[in-house]
Amino acid sequence: MMKPSPTKARLLLAILLATALPGCQSPPQTIGEMIDRSGQNPDRLRMRRSDPTSTSKSLDENSATAINHYEQILTLNSAPETRAEALRRAADLRIKAADSGLGDDANLHRGIALYQQLLAEFPHYPNNDHVLYQLARAQQLASEDDASITSLRNLAENYPGSNRAADASFRAAEMLFLRSNYEEAVVEYARVAAMGENTLFYDMAQYKYGWAQYKLANFEAAIPPFIALLNRLIPTEDNQLNGLAAVSGAAQVQGMSSDAMRALCLSLAAIDGGRSIGRYFSGKNEPTYYVTLYDNLGKLLLEKRRFTDAAGVFETFVETHPDHKLAPRYASQSINAYDSGGFTEPALLAREDFAERYSPLSSYWQGEQPPVEILRELRGYMDELAKHYHAKAQQTKDETERRAQFAIAANWYQQILTTFSDDPERAKLNQLYADALFDGGQTEAAAQQYTITAYDYGAHSGAADAALAAVKAWRRYTTEVPEQQHRDALSKAIAASQRLAASFPNHPEKPAVLLGAAEDLYGMEEYQQALDAAQILVSDAATGNVTISPAQKTKALSLIADAYFALENYPQAEQAYASLLGLIGSEDEIAALAVERLSVSIYRQGEAARDTGDKQQAAQFFLRAADANPNSALAANASYDAGVMWFDLEQWQPASETLELFRQRYPQHALVAEADKLLASAYQKSDQPARAADAYARIASRTTESADTLLSASLLSAQLYDKAGQTSQAATAYEQHLQRYPDPVEAAIKIRQRLAEIAKQQNDTPRYQHWLEEMILADQAADAQRSDFTRSVAAQASLELARGDIAAANTIALTHPIAKSLPRRKQAMEKAIASLNRTAGYGIAVIATEATHELGGLYRDFARALMHSQAPALSGDALEQYQIMLEEQAYPFEEKAIVAFETNLQRLQQGIWNAGIRNSADALADMVPARYGKNLKTEDSYESLF
């Protein structure tokens, strides 16, 4: 028999499937359903008895008669061919009767026995393939499935050329499959498939072969038959999304193609999940329906909730077919699969890949504009990526990682802005872009983007906020740049601040921004610009254009004042600081500085007046500066400078008052010494010696002064006290001066002279004598400094001391008994004579004449004392004799007195005339008038009294 053509085979297959796969409609949803839909149920190939009503009675009688006829032949000794034919026909009729439901089981079993007998007796019977086929059918009707399978397999193995071989092998395979004997079923399905694609059951055998291998978990082996089957059933695709819809033929064929596709997908999925399809076809030719295969495999995995595997299928398609027109669709489906399974990170990576592959500038589009739906998806993915990394960065604690995440977010915002130039949300996106840059540490770039957001998108709700953010970003940038770039960065921050103030006049942060700009300008030493910015703010506040807080107003006024001060506009600075201090309390933290600057501003005006020669006004400015901040160092200088101005103007009273106040307020100031000098001079010139003396005394007490200054001040202090009549203070000052400056000797001796005079004036004889002795000692110790002056002073001092000794001697009265009083008088006179001798020893004529006269007087007084001494209780001659004796004792002393006086008169020959000589002449005239004028020989020394 000729093999049927492929077309006829397909038709027969359809007929077979119509009986074998009843009710096949839509593709099954589970493997179990697929098996059942494929006719793999216990009754699919079972030979059922026909309905009895479907056969006529006559047919039953004819069949019985025929069966009897063939049974009789078997009892005869017939020819082998006849007997064999009779066995076959008898068995056929019995099986037909049993199959028709007309016979009983005995008929069925008898038919089976006849077939078996035929095969045993005639193993080479030409129609044994028919016999085995019928035997298997009968055995199946008798529920002898194992025997039926054996018979069918015998047929296929022993009669491979039979037109029933394929049917037999296929039926055996089906029965084995239904009994889950997949390993043996595979052998039979393979046998049918090996017969070639023109075999009636070829497609079905491949289909079931694949299923059997799947059941055995031989997934690699299951795939090729499914592919081969689908290759024949599905026409060549032209990048179709669903090639199964193009399958032609009966519904059963379409159902089988759907089942085969599903089974193929299950096998691929079982091998290696979603990536199996790519690995399986690596190095192999993909089927023409690969689009449908990818699509179905992905959907199958999604049905089974194997989301990552499904995503893997779609990603594999994109990777292996990057230029395919459906690649964007499958890339999007991979994202949806990850999203469905809640796999955030893979979904994120898939979005990144989509954005990179299908941005309008990517090579995929080859310069063409992407479809609207792709752009819509791309826009959404980019937005999600940007927001994800932005949120992730905000939650990251590690600073390095945090900045990295912000950088990624910023990159996605930038890509959105670059890709979607007409996006209605561009301003908002640009703000987010700037935020990500700022938080990620890219401060300069952030500042630039904030500026774009604020000013390049027209009026929008976020413009004012962006302008403020730009200011803040530029400000932070100033803290990040190297020192050499700081000024440039600060200039940009200032420009941003001024632009905000100009563009958004009602911005609530305008005062703070303008103040910040003013402060920065001040810090850059752009004082005029700082002044202008602060004045604008104050002016706007005054007119009600902006509302500023008290603190901001204080800051603005402070900047104005400081700017005037820095510009050396001190009159304006003074006014500004005064206004500022009128606004704030003394406890304010800037009050102290404002007071200081106010004082300096006034002081600088004083300096300017002084430099122009207006010392009167300068003094007034200096005094005002001191009063403005009396506790400051400047106040001290200002007070002093004011005093100097008055001094230069020779206005002694204000000069002294100012300098005294300076000295009292600032006793430790370095200029106090200079102030004392000025005071001393001012007091001298205004005839206030006592005050001048006080000033000089203070000067003299300072060790910091020069030696000359100290010497001069010390002496002047004493002299001015002396001049003021404050002799006690003068004496003390003179004594202190002597202690400090014992040299030069002449000056020191003069001071001792004055001290002696003061003591004498005060009737302080001991002190007077002390200073006389000091003058003598000073002269004696003068050595090389000894001079006529020092000797003269010493001689005079010695004379004064001698006079004291004389006076002391003269005070000793000669009383009775004279023997007692006379020695005391004698001793005192000896001391006086010694003093006079010392005085005369200086060799100074003027003083020597005085000493000589005093000696004469000493003797004369002694003679008189003797003459008038107290007499003892005598009378008469005794008394007279006593008087004569006194006269005799007194006479030598009178003579000595005369000799002394005459010695002075002899100095007239030397051309000397002074008080001493005159007094001696007067004394001689009184004592010896007759001898007055007589030249007497002078003595160089005085003899002893006795």
Side-chain angles (χ1 to χ4, degrees), residues 11 35 83 139-140 160 298 321 361 395 413 694 901 922 946:
L11 180 59
I35 295 172
R83 179 174 175 78
Q139 288 169 332
Q140 188 178 13
H321 304 280
L361 298 178
Q395 297 168 2
Y413 286 127
D694 289 339
F901 293 144
D922 291 341
F946 300 103

Side-chain angles (χ1 to χ4, degrees), residues 297-307 310-311 314 337 340:
L297 179 56
K299 290 177 179 177
L300 171 68
L301 292 170
L302 286 174
E303 289 174 8
K304 295 181 173 297
R305 304 184 66 80
R306 292 172 60 180
F307 299 110
F314 300 133
S340 298

Side-chain angles (χ1 to χ4, degrees), residues 767-808:
R767 295 297 295 167
Y768 177 64
Q769 292 177 341
H770 167 77
W771 288 116
L772 292 174
E773 290 287 352
E774 283 290 311
M775 285 185 273
I776 293 169
L777 293 173
D779 174 64
Q780 292 174 352
D783 294 331
Q785 294 187 54
R786 195 174 191 191
S787 64
D788 291 342
F789 173 77
T790 63
R791 285 193 299 272
S792 174
V793 172
Q796 185 66 45
S798 180
L799 177 63
E800 290 299 320
L801 285 171
R803 285 170 175 168
D805 291 340
I806 292 170

